[in-house]
Amino acid sequence: IAVVMIRAIAINSLPKKTFLVLWEMVLLRLIIPFTIPSAFSIYTLINHRISTPAFFEAETDNITSAVSREYFVMIHGMEQPITNIPPVSIWFVVWCTGMILFAAFFTVSYLRCRIEFQAALPVNNAYVEQWIKERPLKRRISIKQSDRISTPLMYGILHPVILMPKQTDWKNINQLRYIFSHEYVHIYRFDTIAKLIVTYALCIHWFNPLIYLIVKAIDIQCELSCDAEVVRNMGADIRLSYSETIIGVVRYK
């Protein structure tokens, strides 16, 4: 809720990457299985409002009860073993089933795309070869084309691949430059790993309706921050032509 409010108020005054970082913080909080104490947490403010005498009185009662129970177990519980093991909750079974189904869906989708992308062909183009040589990245970048997709995309971590549609106009240098620059930002920032983390969180919190909002918001902010990075690196004068290129590409989606 806090991130949504910040975005609504400062959507035009803060960099696009700021909102991406905020959403990633929310996502990490969902993944981390423990709570990190913070003086700036809203729960800390709520706890400070609890009166100290009542708090200590409740704690004293709890400690006394706990000691009494412990003493009772030591005296009377040694003769009989504890056999009342609570059964597995039905909600836990439902959660595990949903998590397995979501994980299976994404795994099958990944394997299917991997098989389809293996049929992609390398691109033999002078500009493509020159563009790859000018990218000072330790990981080897490949550019391929496929008739199985309608819009450009990027996949891979150690060996990233920019996959282009077969109907790409390889003579339109400006269009190629904008598309390659956009995908290069994804490669440079390791956005593939971020997408894997998002998928992992979705598999765990599939029952939470807000996780779908977070996933969608991260996807949008990731693309917007990538566009902003391209415009910042290439100059503000390319805004119009870059926007026209992006619109022309996504209209086939």
Side-chain angles (χ1 to χ4, degrees), residues 212-250:
Y212 302 95
L213 171 64
I214 296 174
V215 170
K216 184 65 176 178
I218 290 179
D219 185 57
I220 294 176
Q221 293 300 328
C222 181
E223 296 299 329
L224 291 179
S225 64
C226 184
D227 293 333
E229 185 70 16
V230 172
V231 173
R232 187 180 68 85
N233 293 334
M234 303 182 68
D237 55 335
I238 61 109
R239 285 176 182 267
L240 180 58
S241 56
Y242 178 79
S243 302
E244 291 175 346
T245 299
I246 296 300
I247 293 174
V249 168
V250 300

mmCIF file of all heavy atoms in Angstrom, residues 212-250:
data_model
loop_
_atom_site.group_PDB
_atom_site.id
_atom_site.type_symbol
_atom_site.label_atom_id
_atom_site.label_comp_id
_atom_site.label_asym_id
_atom_site.label_seq_id
_atom_site.Cartn_x
_atom_site.Cartn_y
_atom_site.Cartn_z
ATOM 1 N N TYR A 212 -0.118 -10.975 -7.590
ATOM 2 C CA TYR A 212 -0.288 -10.779 -9.031
ATOM 3 C C TYR A 212 -0.156 -9.297 -9.388
ATOM 4 O O TYR A 212 0.356 -8.963 -10.460
ATOM 5 C CB TYR A 212 -1.650 -11.341 -9.471
ATOM 6 C CG TYR A 212 -1.798 -12.808 -9.150
ATOM 7 C CD1 TYR A 212 -2.419 -13.225 -7.978
ATOM 8 C CD2 TYR A 212 -1.284 -13.781 -10.006
ATOM 9 C CE1 TYR A 212 -2.535 -14.575 -7.673
ATOM 10 C CE2 TYR A 212 -1.402 -15.128 -9.709
ATOM 11 C CZ TYR A 212 -2.026 -15.516 -8.538
ATOM 12 O OH TYR A 212 -2.125 -16.852 -8.234
ATOM 13 N N LEU A 213 -0.621 -8.427 -8.494
ATOM 14 C CA LEU A 213 -0.423 -6.986 -8.687
ATOM 15 C C LEU A 213 1.059 -6.643 -8.637
ATOM 16 O O LEU A 213 1.557 -5.854 -9.449
ATOM 17 C CB LEU A 213 -1.197 -6.210 -7.622
ATOM 18 C CG LEU A 213 -0.929 -4.696 -7.559
ATOM 19 C CD1 LEU A 213 -1.380 -4.020 -8.842
ATOM 20 C CD2 LEU A 213 -1.633 -4.085 -6.350
ATOM 21 N N ILE A 214 1.773 -7.246 -7.691
ATOM 22 C CA ILE A 214 3.198 -6.970 -7.550
ATOM 23 C C ILE A 214 3.962 -7.461 -8.769
ATOM 24 O O ILE A 214 4.842 -6.762 -9.294
ATOM 25 C CB ILE A 214 3.735 -7.627 -6.264
ATOM 26 C CG1 ILE A 214 3.064 -7.005 -5.044
ATOM 27 C CG2 ILE A 214 5.241 -7.499 -6.178
ATOM 28 C CD1 ILE A 214 3.419 -7.685 -3.736
ATOM 29 N N VAL A 215 3.641 -8.663 -9.250
ATOM 30 C CA VAL A 215 4.321 -9.222 -10.423
ATOM 31 C C VAL A 215 4.096 -8.340 -11.646
ATOM 32 O O VAL A 215 5.027 -8.040 -12.406
ATOM 33 C CB VAL A 215 3.833 -10.655 -10.683
ATOM 34 C CG1 VAL A 215 4.350 -11.168 -12.027
ATOM 35 C CG2 VAL A 215 4.292 -11.590 -9.574
ATOM 36 N N LYS A 216 2.864 -7.905 -11.835
ATOM 37 C CA LYS A 216 2.548 -7.035 -12.972
ATOM 38 C C LYS A 216 3.255 -5.697 -12.848
ATOM 39 O O LYS A 216 3.798 -5.163 -13.834
ATOM 40 C CB LYS A 216 1.033 -6.830 -13.063
ATOM 41 C CG LYS A 216 0.573 -6.023 -14.267
ATOM 42 C CD LYS A 216 0.883 -6.753 -15.562
ATOM 43 C CE LYS A 216 0.342 -5.989 -16.755
ATOM 44 N NZ LYS A 216 0.669 -6.674 -18.035
ATOM 45 N N ALA A 217 3.259 -5.138 -11.639
ATOM 46 C CA ALA A 217 3.905 -3.846 -11.430
ATOM 47 C C ALA A 217 5.410 -3.936 -11.668
ATOM 48 O O ALA A 217 6.006 -3.037 -12.274
ATOM 49 C CB ALA A 217 3.616 -3.345 -10.011
ATOM 50 N N ILE A 218 6.040 -5.000 -11.198
ATOM 51 C CA ILE A 218 7.478 -5.165 -11.418
ATOM 52 C C ILE A 218 7.782 -5.309 -12.896
ATOM 53 O O ILE A 218 8.761 -4.745 -13.406
ATOM 54 C CB ILE A 218 7.989 -6.376 -10.626
ATOM 55 C CG1 ILE A 218 7.968 -6.075 -9.132
ATOM 56 C CG2 ILE A 218 9.399 -6.762 -11.064
ATOM 57 C CD1 ILE A 218 8.434 -7.224 -8.260
ATOM 58 N N ASP A 219 6.956 -6.049 -13.611
ATOM 59 C CA ASP A 219 7.169 -6.223 -15.049
ATOM 60 C C ASP A 219 7.079 -4.885 -15.789
ATOM 61 O O ASP A 219 7.910 -4.573 -16.644
ATOM 62 C CB ASP A 219 6.144 -7.218 -15.597
ATOM 63 C CG ASP A 219 6.383 -7.527 -17.064
ATOM 64 O OD1 ASP A 219 7.494 -7.985 -17.407
ATOM 65 O OD2 ASP A 219 5.463 -7.310 -17.886
ATOM 66 N N ILE A 220 6.068 -4.081 -15.435
ATOM 67 C CA ILE A 220 5.892 -2.778 -16.089
ATOM 68 C C ILE A 220 7.037 -1.840 -15.737
ATOM 69 O O ILE A 220 7.629 -1.191 -16.615
ATOM 70 C CB ILE A 220 4.535 -2.166 -15.693
ATOM 71 C CG1 ILE A 220 3.388 -3.007 -16.259
ATOM 72 C CG2 ILE A 220 4.431 -0.722 -16.181
ATOM 73 C CD1 ILE A 220 2.015 -2.537 -15.830
ATOM 74 N N GLN A 221 7.381 -1.757 -14.429
ATOM 75 C CA GLN A 221 8.442 -0.856 -14.016
ATOM 76 C C GLN A 221 9.794 -1.283 -14.567
ATOM 77 O O GLN A 221 10.654 -0.435 -14.841
ATOM 78 C CB GLN A 221 8.497 -0.787 -12.481
ATOM 79 C CG GLN A 221 7.282 -0.145 -11.844
ATOM 80 C CD GLN A 221 7.073 1.285 -12.312
ATOM 81 O OE1 GLN A 221 8.013 2.010 -12.609
ATOM 82 N NE2 GLN A 221 5.817 1.701 -12.401
ATOM 83 N N CYS A 222 9.988 -2.575 -14.750
ATOM 84 C CA CYS A 222 11.237 -3.059 -15.338
ATOM 85 C C CYS A 222 11.388 -2.552 -16.768
ATOM 86 O O CYS A 222 12.469 -2.090 -17.166
ATOM 87 C CB CYS A 222 11.267 -4.583 -15.291
ATOM 88 S SG CYS A 222 12.771 -5.326 -15.963
ATOM 89 N N GLU A 223 10.307 -2.602 -17.538
ATOM 90 C CA GLU A 223 10.361 -2.128 -18.920
ATOM 91 C C GLU A 223 10.496 -0.609 -18.982
ATOM 92 O O GLU A 223 11.258 -0.074 -19.803
ATOM 93 C CB GLU A 223 9.102 -2.586 -19.671
ATOM 94 C CG GLU A 223 8.977 -4.091 -19.816
ATOM 95 C CD GLU A 223 10.124 -4.694 -20.599
ATOM 96 O OE1 GLU A 223 10.675 -4.008 -21.494
ATOM 97 O OE2 GLU A 223 10.496 -5.844 -20.313
ATOM 98 N N LEU A 224 9.759 0.091 -18.110
ATOM 99 C CA LEU A 224 9.820 1.553 -18.119
ATOM 100 C C LEU A 224 11.203 2.054 -17.706
ATOM 101 O O LEU A 224 11.726 2.999 -18.299
ATOM 102 C CB LEU A 224 8.748 2.127 -17.186
ATOM 103 C CG LEU A 224 7.289 1.957 -17.638
ATOM 104 C CD1 LEU A 224 6.347 2.542 -16.595
ATOM 105 C CD2 LEU A 224 7.064 2.609 -18.983
ATOM 106 N N SER A 225 11.774 1.440 -16.688
ATOM 107 C CA SER A 225 13.111 1.849 -16.269
ATOM 108 C C SER A 225 14.144 1.516 -17.328
ATOM 109 O O SER A 225 15.129 2.247 -17.498
ATOM 110 C CB SER A 225 13.477 1.177 -14.952
ATOM 111 O OG SER A 225 13.547 -0.236 -15.100
ATOM 112 N N CYS A 226 13.914 0.443 -18.058
ATOM 113 C CA CYS A 226 14.818 0.088 -19.160
ATOM 114 C C CYS A 226 14.717 1.123 -20.276
ATOM 115 O O CYS A 226 15.740 1.560 -20.825
ATOM 116 C CB CYS A 226 14.463 -1.305 -19.676
ATOM 117 S SG CYS A 226 15.558 -1.924 -20.961
ATOM 118 N N ASP A 227 13.498 1.531 -20.614
ATOM 119 C CA ASP A 227 13.318 2.582 -21.625
ATOM 120 C C ASP A 227 13.970 3.887 -21.188
ATOM 121 O O ASP A 227 14.618 4.572 -21.993
ATOM 122 C CB ASP A 227 11.828 2.809 -21.880
ATOM 123 C CG ASP A 227 11.166 1.609 -22.551
ATOM 124 O OD1 ASP A 227 11.876 0.873 -23.249
ATOM 125 O OD2 ASP A 227 9.957 1.410 -22.358
ATOM 126 N N ALA A 228 13.800 4.240 -19.915
ATOM 127 C CA ALA A 228 14.393 5.473 -19.416
ATOM 128 C C ALA A 228 15.916 5.423 -19.477
ATOM 129 O O ALA A 228 16.573 6.427 -19.775
ATOM 130 C CB ALA A 228 13.927 5.721 -17.977
ATOM 131 N N GLU A 229 16.482 4.244 -19.222
ATOM 132 C CA GLU A 229 17.936 4.092 -19.281
ATOM 133 C C GLU A 229 18.444 4.252 -20.710
ATOM 134 O O GLU A 229 19.486 4.867 -20.952
ATOM 135 C CB GLU A 229 18.325 2.723 -18.728
ATOM 136 C CG GLU A 229 19.814 2.481 -18.629
ATOM 137 C CD GLU A 229 20.473 3.306 -17.545
ATOM 138 O OE1 GLU A 229 19.750 3.836 -16.667
ATOM 139 O OE2 GLU A 229 21.713 3.434 -17.572
ATOM 140 N N VAL A 230 17.699 3.695 -21.674
ATOM 141 C CA VAL A 230 18.096 3.828 -23.077
ATOM 142 C C VAL A 230 18.062 5.291 -23.504
ATOM 143 O O VAL A 230 19.004 5.788 -24.142
ATOM 144 C CB VAL A 230 17.177 2.982 -23.981
ATOM 145 C CG1 VAL A 230 17.463 3.265 -25.452
ATOM 146 C CG2 VAL A 230 17.360 1.502 -23.683
ATOM 147 N N VAL A 231 16.997 5.994 -23.142
ATOM 148 C CA VAL A 231 16.878 7.404 -23.514
ATOM 149 C C VAL A 231 17.974 8.227 -22.843
ATOM 150 O O VAL A 231 18.549 9.146 -23.446
ATOM 151 C CB VAL A 231 15.481 7.931 -23.135
ATOM 152 C CG1 VAL A 231 15.402 9.437 -23.345
ATOM 153 C CG2 VAL A 231 14.406 7.228 -23.953
ATOM 154 N N ARG A 232 18.284 7.913 -21.607
ATOM 155 C CA ARG A 232 19.329 8.654 -20.894
ATOM 156 C C ARG A 232 20.700 8.428 -21.542
ATOM 157 O O ARG A 232 21.501 9.358 -21.648
ATOM 158 C CB ARG A 232 19.372 8.223 -19.430
ATOM 159 C CG ARG A 232 20.319 9.048 -18.568
ATOM 160 C CD ARG A 232 20.299 8.565 -17.135
ATOM 161 N NE ARG A 232 20.889 7.239 -17.022
ATOM 162 C CZ ARG A 232 22.197 7.015 -16.896
ATOM 163 N NH1 ARG A 232 23.048 8.046 -16.867
ATOM 164 N NH2 ARG A 232 22.672 5.797 -16.795
ATOM 165 N N ASN A 233 20.972 7.205 -21.968
ATOM 166 C CA ASN A 233 22.271 6.901 -22.571
ATOM 167 C C ASN A 233 22.410 7.454 -23.989
ATOM 168 O O ASN A 233 23.497 7.876 -24.395
ATOM 169 C CB ASN A 233 22.506 5.392 -22.593
ATOM 170 C CG ASN A 233 22.655 4.813 -21.201
ATOM 171 O OD1 ASN A 233 23.048 5.501 -20.272
ATOM 172 N ND2 ASN A 233 22.333 3.532 -21.052
ATOM 173 N N MET A 234 21.307 7.473 -24.734
ATOM 174 C CA MET A 234 21.367 7.863 -26.139
ATOM 175 C C MET A 234 20.971 9.311 -26.372
ATOM 176 O O MET A 234 21.112 9.808 -27.494
ATOM 177 C CB MET A 234 20.484 6.930 -26.981
ATOM 178 C CG MET A 234 20.852 5.462 -26.857
ATOM 179 S SD MET A 234 19.860 4.369 -27.901
ATOM 180 C CE MET A 234 20.428 4.868 -29.520
ATOM 181 N N GLY A 235 20.446 9.976 -25.336
ATOM 182 C CA GLY A 235 20.074 11.374 -25.494
ATOM 183 C C GLY A 235 18.577 11.567 -25.595
ATOM 184 O O GLY A 235 17.861 10.736 -26.169
ATOM 185 N N ALA A 236 18.104 12.683 -25.059
ATOM 186 C CA ALA A 236 16.663 12.951 -25.028
ATOM 187 C C ALA A 236 16.083 13.223 -26.411
ATOM 188 O O ALA A 236 14.867 13.141 -26.603
ATOM 189 C CB ALA A 236 16.370 14.135 -24.107
ATOM 190 N N ASP A 237 16.937 13.548 -27.387
ATOM 191 C CA ASP A 237 16.419 13.861 -28.713
ATOM 192 C C ASP A 237 15.909 12.634 -29.452
ATOM 193 O O ASP A 237 15.284 12.769 -30.510
ATOM 194 C CB ASP A 237 17.507 14.553 -29.549
ATOM 195 C CG ASP A 237 18.789 13.728 -29.619
ATOM 196 O OD1 ASP A 237 19.019 12.924 -28.689
ATOM 197 O OD2 ASP A 237 19.551 13.899 -30.591
ATOM 198 N N ILE A 238 16.133 11.434 -28.926
ATOM 199 C CA ILE A 238 15.652 10.222 -29.601
ATOM 200 C C ILE A 238 14.331 9.735 -29.018
ATOM 201 O O ILE A 238 13.849 8.660 -29.358
ATOM 202 C CB ILE A 238 16.710 9.100 -29.527
ATOM 203 C CG1 ILE A 238 17.005 8.725 -28.064
ATOM 204 C CG2 ILE A 238 17.981 9.496 -30.228
ATOM 205 C CD1 ILE A 238 16.499 7.405 -27.627
ATOM 206 N N ARG A 239 13.748 10.515 -28.110
ATOM 207 C CA ARG A 239 12.511 10.096 -27.449
ATOM 208 C C ARG A 239 11.412 9.737 -28.457
ATOM 209 O O ARG A 239 10.787 8.681 -28.365
ATOM 210 C CB ARG A 239 11.997 11.205 -26.531
ATOM 211 C CG ARG A 239 12.782 11.360 -25.239
ATOM 212 C CD ARG A 239 12.249 12.548 -24.455
ATOM 213 N NE ARG A 239 12.983 12.770 -23.224
ATOM 214 C CZ ARG A 239 12.632 12.273 -22.045
ATOM 215 N NH1 ARG A 239 11.551 11.538 -21.952
ATOM 216 N NH2 ARG A 239 13.353 12.516 -20.968
ATOM 217 N N LEU A 240 11.181 10.617 -29.416
ATOM 218 C CA LEU A 240 10.078 10.408 -30.358
ATOM 219 C C LEU A 240 10.317 9.174 -31.224
ATOM 220 O O LEU A 240 9.445 8.304 -31.336
ATOM 221 C CB LEU A 240 9.898 11.653 -31.235
ATOM 222 C CG LEU A 240 8.775 11.568 -32.282
ATOM 223 C CD1 LEU A 240 7.434 11.299 -31.623
ATOM 224 C CD2 LEU A 240 8.723 12.846 -33.109
ATOM 225 N N SER A 241 11.483 9.084 -31.834
ATOM 226 C CA SER A 241 11.763 7.958 -32.705
ATOM 227 C C SER A 241 11.827 6.647 -31.918
ATOM 228 O O SER A 241 11.381 5.598 -32.397
ATOM 229 C CB SER A 241 13.080 8.180 -33.455
ATOM 230 O OG SER A 241 14.150 8.417 -32.556
ATOM 231 N N TYR A 242 12.355 6.708 -30.704
ATOM 232 C CA TYR A 242 12.409 5.500 -29.875
ATOM 233 C C TYR A 242 11.001 5.040 -29.501
ATOM 234 O O TYR A 242 10.685 3.845 -29.554
ATOM 235 C CB TYR A 242 13.237 5.765 -28.617
ATOM 236 C CG TYR A 242 13.312 4.594 -27.675
ATOM 237 C CD1 TYR A 242 14.175 3.539 -27.925
ATOM 238 C CD2 TYR A 242 12.524 4.545 -26.517
ATOM 239 C CE1 TYR A 242 14.258 2.457 -27.061
ATOM 240 C CE2 TYR A 242 12.596 3.473 -25.650
ATOM 241 C CZ TYR A 242 13.471 2.432 -25.924
ATOM 242 O OH TYR A 242 13.528 1.361 -25.070
ATOM 243 N N SER A 243 10.146 5.985 -29.132
ATOM 244 C CA SER A 243 8.764 5.643 -28.783
ATOM 245 C C SER A 243 8.029 5.040 -29.971
ATOM 246 O O SER A 243 7.280 4.071 -29.830
ATOM 247 C CB SER A 243 8.026 6.882 -28.276
ATOM 248 O OG SER A 243 8.679 7.429 -27.150
ATOM 249 N N GLU A 244 8.234 5.607 -31.149
ATOM 250 C CA GLU A 244 7.592 5.062 -32.343
ATOM 251 C C GLU A 244 8.079 3.642 -32.628
ATOM 252 O O GLU A 244 7.302 2.781 -33.065
ATOM 253 C CB GLU A 244 7.868 5.976 -33.538
ATOM 254 C CG GLU A 244 7.169 7.329 -33.447
ATOM 255 C CD GLU A 244 7.555 8.252 -34.582
ATOM 256 O OE1 GLU A 244 8.552 7.929 -35.275
ATOM 257 O OE2 GLU A 244 6.882 9.282 -34.776
ATOM 258 N N THR A 245 9.357 3.398 -32.373
ATOM 259 C CA THR A 245 9.888 2.050 -32.578
ATOM 260 C C THR A 245 9.253 1.061 -31.616
ATOM 261 O O THR A 245 8.844 -0.043 -32.010
ATOM 262 C CB THR A 245 11.415 2.048 -32.387
ATOM 263 O OG1 THR A 245 12.013 2.913 -33.353
ATOM 264 C CG2 THR A 245 11.977 0.641 -32.551
ATOM 265 N N ILE A 246 9.154 1.440 -30.346
ATOM 266 C CA ILE A 246 8.566 0.546 -29.345
ATOM 267 C C ILE A 246 7.099 0.261 -29.679
ATOM 268 O O ILE A 246 6.631 -0.887 -29.602
ATOM 269 C CB ILE A 246 8.684 1.162 -27.937
ATOM 270 C CG1 ILE A 246 10.158 1.297 -27.555
ATOM 271 C CG2 ILE A 246 7.966 0.290 -26.920
ATOM 272 C CD1 ILE A 246 10.911 -0.016 -27.516
ATOM 273 N N ILE A 247 6.362 1.288 -30.065
ATOM 274 C CA ILE A 247 4.952 1.097 -30.421
ATOM 275 C C ILE A 247 4.829 0.199 -31.643
ATOM 276 O O ILE A 247 3.976 -0.707 -31.705
ATOM 277 C CB ILE A 247 4.268 2.455 -30.675
ATOM 278 C CG1 ILE A 247 4.202 3.250 -29.368
ATOM 279 C CG2 ILE A 247 2.885 2.256 -31.255
ATOM 280 C CD1 ILE A 247 3.670 4.664 -29.553
ATOM 281 N N GLY A 248 5.706 0.394 -32.623
ATOM 282 C CA GLY A 248 5.671 -0.438 -33.814
ATOM 283 C C GLY A 248 6.002 -1.887 -33.523
ATOM 284 O O GLY A 248 5.493 -2.802 -34.189
ATOM 285 N N VAL A 249 6.834 -2.123 -32.504
ATOM 286 C CA VAL A 249 7.208 -3.497 -32.178
ATOM 287 C C VAL A 249 6.105 -4.210 -31.404
ATOM 288 O O VAL A 249 5.744 -5.337 -31.708
ATOM 289 C CB VAL A 249 8.524 -3.508 -31.355
ATOM 290 C CG1 VAL A 249 8.777 -4.880 -30.761
ATOM 291 C CG2 VAL A 249 9.688 -3.110 -32.251
ATOM 292 N N VAL A 250 5.548 -3.534 -30.392
ATOM 293 C CA VAL A 250 4.589 -4.212 -29.502
ATOM 294 C C VAL A 250 3.211 -4.358 -30.138
ATOM 295 O O VAL A 250 2.369 -5.095 -29.629
ATOM 296 C CB VAL A 250 4.454 -3.455 -28.168
ATOM 297 C CG1 VAL A 250 5.798 -3.399 -27.467
ATOM 298 C CG2 VAL A 250 3.894 -2.063 -28.379
#
